[in-house]
Amino acid sequence: MSAKDAYGLETYSSVESLPEQQKDEFLPEDDGNLEFPGENSIIPEVAATIPVTDDATMPSLTWRVMVIGTLLCIATSIVSQYFFFRLNDITLSSLFHIVVSYPMGISFAKVLPHKLFGVVVNPGPFSIKEHTLIVIIASSAVSMSYGMIVIITKSLFYSESNISVAPALALLLTTQLLGFGLAGILQKLLVYPAKMWWPEQIVVANLLVNFHSGISKSVTSNRVKWFGILFLVAFVYQFLPSFFMPTLQAVSLICLIAGGPSGRLNDQTVFGKGPPADPNMPFLAQVASGFDPNGHGGVGVLTFDWTTISILSPLYTPWWAQVNTLVGNYLFAWITIPLFILFNVWDARNFPAFSVSSFQPNGTRWDVRYVVNPTNFTLIESRYTDYQFRLSPAFALEYGLNFAVISSTVAYMVLYYRSDILKSFKEVDIRDQDVHTKMMKKYTKIPQLVYLSIFISMVGLSMFTVEYFQSDFQLKWWGILLAVGITMLFVVPIGIIRAISSTSIGLNVFSQILIGYFQPGPLANLTFKAYGTNTMNQTLSLLSDLKLSYYMKVPPTHMFICQVYGAVLAAIFNLFSFYYMVDHIPEIRNSACFLKYGARGDGTCNPVLDPQWQSPRPGVLYTASLLYGVVGPVKLFFAPDAPYQILLWFILGGVVISALFYYLHRLFPNVGFNYINIPIIFQQSGVTLYGYGSSILSGTIVGFLSQVYARKYHRLLYDRYNYILSAALDFAAVCVPITLFILSMLNPAVSHLTLDPRRRRLL
């Protein structure tokens, strides 16, 4: 018999309780070797994907793991650093690493001798455990090392030269490793329980299982075949939005109705002229356009580009979590910001609707050179009085929503998970563990003393780094203790939300306001943000990987070694690839110049700006450093005449609204109030500011078809092929831009084949 989980979804206690037509999908061919016969995960997505068998003699941490993992990690770190500065981002996801590393592992197993110079280099067939560890090493570089935000911002915006190697490496290595100690302590709460199932890892595990025998060989063969077919179809199709017809990336229904730029949309007598910074762009066009992510809302935009749709992860994120994301974005971009413009709240008509830049109150650019001392990066108070700092209303409101995220996250944890947290301090109830957790007990765990030693040593090295390189980072030693403290306070509630919904909650704004209040300075602010945010990120990353190790039965010690190795290797190559790029690609500094000063005519910036180097990410970092590090939270939020003082009420609002829906659920348990997750709604409201608005409408449609229609009415097909489809689409979305980039390098004339009238560069 099935049961319902906290969100009304079916759960199963054993294989025997599954529907008859699905049992053959989950049972291996030889049921006699099962350690726990008849048991499976209580989460149907896990039961449909993860085998319940394990071979403890299978090769795991081998020589070929280190070689292949190192090569892919280096390549991925360079790609992630390069595309941080590009408008069209490319992420070499775990799915990419799975597919690319598989033929490499198979080739090594066939070609290499058993031993080379007395070292075992070929222990036998390429195993699923080796494959998993390769992916862990390579995936450490999927996102740019977070400490790079300090290095990039100082080098491009606060200095005429790059930061030197010694302080940069010290910062990167300590920020990368500081969070690892906390992960070991939190396994009992965030890894062992079956309901902490980390949805994003199911797609990874599914594809790994598809490449290796673990369930019925006929099922495995069928899934591999369908992955290949779906990938080829998606790969061919993805050339349309990525190259031949880029208009498919964002089709604005509102703009089409209004006649487009040549029709009524550009009629200033109807829609009014735009803000001083962009007078030729009417506000309706800003709200409804989605092609250019810098300042446009994506309201009513359909996208046929899987690269954009996949931002919401609609094929594996639980539907209830997707709905919360969609509600938050609709309330923010579709309703609130247009109302702000209509009623001119915070002088909204003076600013581009969704801009992340810095402005004066009249809507013109705010020139940091005029009010900041270039020697110590402090505010010149006498000048700031007549030359104040303002944000676009959307960007300001996003900060208020971040206040609500923090308070509502803590409230959510206390209201819904207080009993689970209390139990985690005791021995985990065996009833909360699924078969995978039980099977992992035969492997040696890393002693808590190791985690504690890493944690203490990294805290000490971090304090030494910021004190010894004070001129580079500005942060005092006690700032490290404060950053670690807030991570320890929030890691449990944020970890719970991610483990059940695949939604990440950030500490960015809270960290910057906290240190901005106690210690001014843009670099101190970003450094504190790097330590606070990355400690959280790395803690959750290791916990997520540990859950994958439980699914794939990889020894925890091997997983830990590969995670640490990958994190260090990725940081090193992020740094040196940045040094090379900024010295050899002038567009990077020129784009930063425009972000600081705008399109000036005095020769400060090159008037020819390549649109593909207009990434919003450096601008967000720079604006935040000005907001909290130079102007400071007191002038913006706490002073009697602070322009954004009202946003502080969002802190109380987050608690009150979370409590309201919790007690509504208690009073009316069958209505569905438990589906409303206030932290996710607040967190995902402002995704439009970062170029993701175009993903909302199409993502809603895809998510409904997968997580509601297919899951409910075609469950067998959903269990068999949903995650295969997700992996195939994601892999195609990665391969097409890489293919285009290689073609453009071989023959630049290829770019003229695109139907994009602007003939931008391919990537």
Side-chain angles (χ1 to χ4, degrees), residues 69-80:
T70 298
L71 293 174
L72 291 179
C73 183
I74 292 173
T76 304
S77 65
I78 295 173
V79 169
S80 66

Side-chain angles (χ1 to χ4, degrees), residues 288-338:
S289 173
F291 196 87
D292 186 350
N294 287 315
H296 295 166
V299 172
V301 171
L302 282 174
T303 179
F304 300 91
D305 180 6
W306 182 255
T307 304
T308 305
I309 297 174
S310 64
I311 292 170
L312 296 179
S313 305
L315 292 178
Y316 63 84
T317 299
W319 177 243
W320 65 265
Q322 292 191 52
V323 170
N324 281 277
T325 295
L326 303 172
V327 168
N329 188 266
Y330 290 152
L331 290 174
F332 178 81
W334 293 53
I335 298 175
T336 304
I337 299 306

Side-chain angles (χ1 to χ4, degrees), residues 211-226:
F211 278 108
H212 301 268
S213 59
I215 54 177
S216 168
K217 291 183 179 179
S218 61
V219 172
T220 300
S221 175
N222 179 265
R223 291 180 176 180
V224 171
K225 179 187 73 174
W226 274 105

